[in-house]
Amino acid sequence: MTEYPEIAKRFARETAGHQMTVKHEDGLYRHLRFGRPEHGSFGVYELITWPYNLVVKAGWTFHFDIDATPDMFDLFRNTAFSGEINPSYWQEKVRAGRDEIEGFDENLFEQRVKQHVVEAIRNGRAPRGIGAEVTRDIFEWGDISHEAGARAELDAFSYQGWTFGETWEWNFCDYTPGFLWCCHAIRHGIDLYDAARKTAEVAA
């Protein structure tokens, strides 16, 4: 089961009923388009392959390559079950689009901050009322829509002498929705391709 169920549900909803169009196929040289004509460009994506390379184009573009795998479809087939993705491994193979793989996650930031506050309360190191103060100053009044603002709020926070201390090592980044969506697009596109090829073989 995917670790990012919200993205999996979104992808399934946006690509329901997708059909594959083969724009070009010559061995490992493929150009496949997936979409529904009646939906226009909504949810449309393309997979383009050549030896040792795969490009997925949606609202985002990622170029994967690995010298050991001539057919990149094999890489994605062999490293995730049908309907599932393996972003932690696949991101290592991204040549272009690396700056779009991860980004600041406001939910992860909130989770990490609240966890730290709870631990401080349990250890008796935090003053009474710290939870409400953090909620008001950081989550309600603070500018935490981006990483720089979120870190600035942490650095500036002080309540009855209590501060968050050194937080520069805290990681608030996670895979972007765009990268996860494209991972699903690759795995789903390969499944549709394999199904179509199997149907053609049976018909022959």
Side-chain angles (χ1 to χ4, degrees):
M1 183 177 180
T2 177
E3 297 178 1
Y4 301 89
E6 292 183 1
I7 295 296
K9 291 178 182 177
R10 171 187 162 190
F11 177 82
R13 183 174 62 253
E14 294 178 353
T15 61
H18 263 31
Q19 299 174 5
M20 180 181 72
T21 300
V22 179
K23 303 185 73 172
H24 178 81
E25 184 172 22
D26 180 12
L28 300 184
Y29 295 86
R30 310 181 186 95
H31 187 174
L32 312 175
R33 186 179 189 274
F34 303 85
R36 293 182 64 180
E38 65 270 27
H39 287 178
S41 61
F42 179 77
V44 169
Y45 64 92
E46 298 181 349
L47 298 182
I48 302 168
T49 68
W50 63 98
Y52 308 100
N53 291 268
L54 179 146
V55 171
V56 54
K57 297 179 65 177
W60 313 265
T61 299
F62 294 95
H63 175 192
F64 299 78
D65 77 342
I66 179 172
D67 292 340
T69 309
D71 187 352
M72 288 293 284
F73 277 11
D74 287 338
L75 171 72
F76 296 98
R77 288 188 188 107
N78 297 333
T79 54
F81 291 112
S82 176
E84 298 186 4
I85 61 174
N86 189 353
S88 62
Y89 179 69
W90 295 350
Q91 62 92 17
E92 298 174 359
K93 315 306 177 188
V94 174
R95 171 186 291 272
R98 295 203 60 83
D99 56 342
E100 297 292 333
I101 293 176
E102 292 187 341
F104 173 70
D105 188 322
E106 189 172 334
N107 292 328
L108 183 61
F109 170 78
E110 182 173 346
Q111 176 184 340
R112 182 69 182 88
V113 170
K114 287 183 175 179
Q115 179 183 5
H116 182 80
V117 171
V118 168
E119 291 174 356
I121 293 173
R122 287 175 178 172
N123 295 334
R125 295 184 286 105
R128 189 177 184 86
I130 186 67
E133 194 72 15
V134 168
T135 297
R136 181 176 62 252
D137 281 8
I138 294 181
F139 301 127
E140 294 179 1
W141 295 350
D143 179 12
I144 60 173
S145 61
H146 54 97
E147 185 169 6
R151 290 191 179 278
E153 296 294 343
L154 286 185
D155 292 341
F157 182 84
S158 178
Y159 178 65
Q160 296 184 15
W162 189 90
T163 67
F164 282 94
E166 296 292 335
T167 61
W168 60 273
E169 290 186 337
W170 292 10
N171 182 19
F172 305 126
C173 292
D174 202 352
Y175 297 119
T176 64
F179 177 67
L180 294 172
W181 200 98
C182 284
C183 286
H184 280 288
I186 294 170
R187 181 67 256 202
H188 182 59
I190 292 173
D191 288 344
L192 291 178
Y193 175 81
D194 289 343
R197 189 169 56 174
K198 184 175 181 179
T199 298
E201 291 174 353
V202 171

